[in-house]
Amino acid sequence: MLNNIYVKKFRKLQNYQDFMAKQLEFHRDVLNKNRLGYFVFLEHEDVYTIGRFSKIVNDKGLDVFKSTRGGSITYHGPGQIIFYPIINLRLLGLRLKDFVDALEDSVLLLLDSFNLIGKKNLYGPGVWIDNRKIASIGLAVRRGVTLHGLSLNLNCSLDKFNLIHPCGNPDVTVGNLDDFVKIEKNKCFNMLAEIFLDQIKSRVHYLKKKEISLSADSFESEP
């Protein structure tokens, strides 16, 4: 349906490189069928990635995957929620800056619902609690449709970040949301989806924005 945004959730850990191909499938579907987009939720297998313009030198012998997103080096792995909103910015009349603001504000509102105070814009896009970065953003836009998105540390292995300078900044300290409040993974998926939908609806220039709704999907069973 024209005014639906489709929600896809993946139960099993996803290989980063393999899932890039799946992202591109969603991206092509949005373009070819003129859809509003997809909200995709998952966790990745252990991987270090660097953005497409990053000048990070890998001097620690890490297995690093060159991503098509923006941003510098980061870690993805179990216990970290990945939210890829593959959104038709052109159709919705949504500026990229407003899209990024909506992502950050969605995390802030999620935290606020648990009486937590988050901050943004300390060292670029993302969200911090008590000077610990819990959420990062890295994006790409092709033909007016977004790729990649948001990572939120729920209860991931923070020691994996010790081998890098997260976001290319040695001053960034990473934290887990689990250190402040316990949230079940699927509940976090659902809350983020609803909050982010409200945030983009408040920012878009789309004549039928009041009719935009989520088409919920059960967890995908495939690996």
Side-chain angles (χ1 to χ4, degrees), residues 60-121:
K60 295 180 184 285
L62 300 176
D63 186 11
V64 176
F65 179 76
K66 185 77 170 181
S67 175
T68 58
R69 62 165 173 80
S72 187
I73 190 166
T74 195
Y75 162 77
H76 298 308
Q80 183 189 74
I81 287 176
I82 301 296
F83 175 31
Y84 291 147
I86 303 173
I87 297 298
N88 196 330
L89 299 180
R90 187 176 299 165
L91 180 59
L92 286 168
L94 183 63
R95 298 186 307 165
L96 180 59
K97 180 184 183 303
D98 292 334
F99 179 80
V100 174
D101 287 342
L103 277 172
E104 291 178 319
D105 289 347
S106 294
V107 177
L108 293 176
L109 288 168
L110 174 71
L111 298 179
D112 184 67
S113 68
F114 293 97
N115 298 313
L116 294 171
I117 298 174
K119 300 177 183 178
K120 61 179 180 177
N121 294 330

Side-chain angles (χ1 to χ4, degrees), residues 157-177:
S157 298
L158 297 181
D159 61 326
K160 300 291 179 62
F161 288 96
N162 294 335
L163 297 175
I164 61 173
H165 294 317
C167 308
N169 190 327
D171 296 323
V172 170
T173 300
V174 178
N176 270 325
L177 185 54

Side-chain angles (χ1 to χ4, degrees), residues 6-204:
Y6 297 89
V7 179
K8 296 288 185 181
K9 304 174 187 175
F10 290 82
R11 184 184 301 277
K12 296 182 179 180
L13 295 176
Q14 301 293 312
N15 175 275
Y16 189 91
Q17 187 169 2
D18 291 345
F19 201 82
M20 187 63 224
K22 196 174 293 291
Q23 272 201 83
L24 292 175
E25 288 178 11
F26 290 132
H27 186 275
R28 283 192 296 270
D29 189 65
V30 170
L31 283 172
N32 293 340
K33 298 181 181 177
N34 207 31
R35 296 192 192 276
L36 295 185
Y38 287 88
F39 288 177
V40 183
F41 293 93
L42 64 140
E43 293 172 88
H44 280 305
E45 297 173 349
D46 286 315
V47 65
Y48 291 97
T49 69
I50 55 175
R52 60 190 181 278
F53 301 126
S54 177
K55 297 180 180 179
I56 294 296
V57 176
N58 179 19
D59 60 356
K60 295 180 184 285
L62 300 176
D63 186 11
V64 176
F65 179 76
K66 185 77 170 181
S67 175
T68 58
R69 62 165 173 80
S72 187
I73 190 166
T74 195
Y75 162 77
H76 298 308
Q80 183 189 74
I81 287 176
I82 301 296
F83 175 31
Y84 291 147
I86 303 173
I87 297 298
N88 196 330
L89 299 180
R90 187 176 299 165
L91 180 59
L92 286 168
L94 183 63
R95 298 186 307 165
L96 180 59
K97 180 184 183 303
D98 292 334
F99 179 80
V100 174
D101 287 342
L103 277 172
E104 291 178 319
D105 289 347
S106 294
V107 177
L108 293 176
L109 288 168
L110 174 71
L111 298 179
D112 184 67
S113 68
F114 293 97
N115 298 313
L116 294 171
I117 298 174
K119 300 177 183 178
K120 61 179 180 177
N121 294 330
L122 293 182
Y123 301 102
V127 174
W128 284 255
I129 303 177
D130 294 343
N131 295 321
R132 280 182 276 177
K133 191 173 188 181
I134 63 159
S136 299
I137 294 172
L139 300 170
V141 180
R142 295 184 183 180
R143 297 175 63 186
V145 177
T146 61
L147 286 162
H148 303 286
L150 171 80
S151 62
L152 175 62
N153 299 335
L154 196 61
N155 50 22
C156 63
S157 298
L158 297 181
D159 61 326
K160 300 291 179 62
F161 288 96
N162 294 335
L163 297 175
I164 61 173
H165 294 317
C167 308
N169 190 327
D171 296 323
V172 170
T173 300
V174 178
N176 270 325
L177 185 54
D178 207 40
D179 295 333
F180 303 94
V181 65
K182 308 294 184 185
I183 308 177
E184 190 271 328
K185 179 175 66 176
N186 195 46
K187 180 179 180 179
C188 200
F189 286 171
N190 293 337
M191 291 181 70
L192 268 177
E194 293 291 345
I195 294 171
F196 186 64
L197 177 65
D198 288 341
Q199 288 299 300
I200 62 173
K201 286 171 73 171
S202 71
R203 290 169 165 87
V204 299

